[in-house]
Amino acid sequence: MKIAIVHEWLDSYAGSERVLEQLFEIFPQADLYAVCDFLPESERAFLGRRVPRTSFIQRLPRARRWFRYYLGLMPLAVEQFDLSGYDLVVSSSHAVAKGVLTGPGTLHVSYVHSPMRYAWDLQHQYLRQARMERGVKGALTRWLLSRMRAWDFASGARPDVIAANSSWIAERIRKSWRRESVVVHPPVDLEGFPFQAAKGDAYVVASRMVPYKRIDLIAEAFRQMPDKRLIIAGDGPEMGRVREAAGTAPNIEICGRVSQADLVALLASARAFVFAAEEDFGIGMVEAQACGTPLIAYGRGGATDIVRPGVTGLLFPRQTTESLIATVTQFESLSIAPEACRTNAERFSREVFRDRMLGLIREACAARGMEAP
């Protein structure tokens, strides 16, 4: 069986690249296609000796730094890949990869991290953050997003089978593309986050400081709970707002960016990991659970797949300080076993991901009368 894997773009080793790495474990013989490849040498080890086949965007002016500004050309770019000689195409998509063209003799299975967020329900949030709600730039951006939304809907019909990375994303796919999908949670490196039964007294937040993560909400809530310690790790454009929300509260410690070793130590010793974002999945929550640490998370998005309420943590129903404070108070009356948290995390291991993806692909092959890989 001749197999191709189509990835969005390569510029850092992050969450979608961890999915790509596990797809290589399943299909080591697969060829790799990507819109562009600007991955630093220090992060290329997971590719092995593979040389990605890239699109014309790779050669456009200043593409290394500004390739995302060519988003409007990316649909055309992925449609230029000639995949006619492949029996199986697996795409890993959060924007355009699922839009590759395949013939009737090719099975296309797409692992979808999300429909194109900024073209659908997050359009207005994106325009606000980019300060393009008005003016000529705003009008041009709205026009481009309208075009991208139409293409995203049309190309959502192209995969034969869709795997969604969470139940939340499965619902987004149903709403945006009118397609059904199978939930296959992304792979998490549990070995990098060892179990620890002994916990400290501090609640922990570890995140990029960007608006939708709502770290400011967490800081404000704990400022109103002076008897509860909070440690905030991370950095980003919202740092000033987070510091303002924390004020001079002596129970809140903001330590900025930390090393991987320090991050693991923080998660392992935390009384609970606090998460206030509406996230597609939320790998950080699984990493905390792997350490045996309970979760207090906003009850929308991927958190609903991860948290087992009352067993491995709690969900707060509204994205408000009052809701979070009430849930922290409720949490302190519970007794959550660290072992239950670790067991819960094992549902999201890399091995489970590989087994589920391979099983899904084999089922699709059988349904089409194809020889399975």
Side-chain angles (χ1 to χ4, degrees):
M1 177 173 275
K2 194 172 181 186
I3 301 171
I5 296 175
V6 183
H7 189 65
E8 219 83 69
W9 51 71
L10 291 159
D11 73 319
S12 65
Y13 179 67
S16 63
E17 284 69 36
R18 286 170 169 80
V19 168
L20 180 61
E21 182 176 29
Q22 295 309 306
L23 291 176
F24 290 149
E25 290 289 323
I26 302 171
F27 304 118
Q29 77 278 28
D31 296 327
L32 174 61
Y33 290 77
V35 168
C36 54
D37 174 20
F38 298 115
L39 197 65
E41 284 299 325
S42 60
E43 300 181 25
R44 300 187 71 85
F46 79 101
L47 292 178
R49 296 184 178 181
R50 294 177 185 85
V51 178
R53 304 180 190 188
T54 56
S55 73
F56 64 84
I57 288 178
Q58 182 82 22
R59 301 179 294 280
L60 292 179
R62 299 186 179 182
R64 177 177 292 276
R65 186 173 181 182
W66 303 110
F67 69 87
R68 287 181 177 83
Y69 286 89
Y70 292 121
L71 178 65
L73 295 174
M74 288 184 184
L76 176 62
V78 298
E79 290 175 349
Q80 302 311 303
F81 291 142
D82 181 4
L83 303 173
S84 57
Y86 292 96
D87 303 297
L88 170 65
V89 171
V90 182
S91 59
S92 172
S93 183
H94 58 77
V96 299
K98 54 91 175 56
V100 292
L101 302 178
T102 57
T106 301
L107 174 65
H108 177 190
V109 177
S110 188
Y111 186 84
V112 176
H113 305 273
S114 177
M116 203 177 291
R117 304 176 186 89
Y118 30 84
W120 292 96
D121 55 313
L122 298 185
Q123 172 184 292
H124 302 292
Q125 179 180 320
Y126 168 77
L127 291 169
R128 280 195 302 271
Q129 291 174 6
R131 298 180 180 178
M132 290 191 295
E133 293 178 278
R134 297 179 178 83
V136 175
K137 281 187 178 180
L140 288 173
T141 303
R142 289 175 190 275
W143 174 81
L144 173 62
L145 292 178
S146 176
R147 295 285 302 272
M148 295 300 292
R149 185 161 52 250
W151 183 86
D152 195 55
F153 174 78
S155 61
R158 294 178 186 174
D160 298 294
V161 178
I162 298 175
N165 81 345
S166 68
S167 300
W168 183 248
I169 294 304
E171 183 56 37
R172 278 183 182 270
I173 290 168
R174 189 177 298 113
K175 182 78 172 179
S176 301
W177 302 343
R178 301 295 189 248
R179 291 288 307 271
E180 295 301 317
S181 57
V182 178
V183 175
V184 179
H185 296 116
V188 182
D189 175 19
L190 303 184
E191 290 73 22
F193 294 85
F195 174 76
Q196 178 177 309
K199 303 299 175 186
D201 65 343
Y203 294 84
V204 168
V205 176
S207 174
R208 290 180 296 119
M209 303 283 184
V210 292
Y212 85 94
K213 294 287 190 179
R214 298 307 315 271
I215 311 303
D216 59 324
L217 182 150
I218 300 172
E220 172 62 31
F222 275 83
R223 189 172 71 174
Q224 298 178 40
M225 298 184 286
D227 59 325
K228 297 172 178 57
R229 282 186 67 210
L230 175 69
I231 298 174
I232 301 175
D235 202 355
E238 288 287 287
M239 177 62 87
R241 188 170 179 177
V242 172
R243 290 191 183 279
E244 182 180 350
T248 58
N251 62 311
I252 300 176
E253 177 185 350
I254 301 175
C255 48
R257 191 185 302 273
V258 298
S259 68
Q260 182 66 15
D262 288 342
L263 171 63
V264 172
L266 276 174
L267 293 181
S269 63
R271 183 168 189 175
F273 182 74
V274 187
F275 194 86
E278 182 184 302
E279 191 70 89
D280 296 341
F281 179 66
I283 286 176
M285 288 186 281
V286 177
E287 292 170 343
Q289 294 265 275
C291 296
T293 298
L295 300 174
I296 298 175
Y298 177 44
R300 285 173 66 87
T304 59
D305 282 10
I306 298 169
V307 180
R308 297 174 61 201
V311 179
T312 70
L314 288 176
L315 298 170
F316 56 97
R318 292 174 299 282
Q319 219 173 21
T320 64
T321 56
E322 295 78 11
S323 184
L324 176 54
I325 289 169
T327 304
V328 170
T329 302
Q330 181 187 358
F331 172 81
E332 294 202 334
S333 69
L334 299 178
S335 178
I336 292 180
E339 294 79 7
C341 297
R342 176 69 191 196
T343 299
N344 185 46
E346 288 168 358
R347 297 188 292 134
F348 309 102
S349 71
R350 292 179 293 189
E351 293 78 13
V352 169
F353 171 83
R354 293 196 298 265
D355 287 346
R356 289 200 45 120
M357 277 300 293
L358 187 55
L360 179 65
I361 290 168
R362 285 175 171 167
E363 285 180 14
C365 287
R368 291 169 62 101
M370 294 174 59
E371 182 181 350

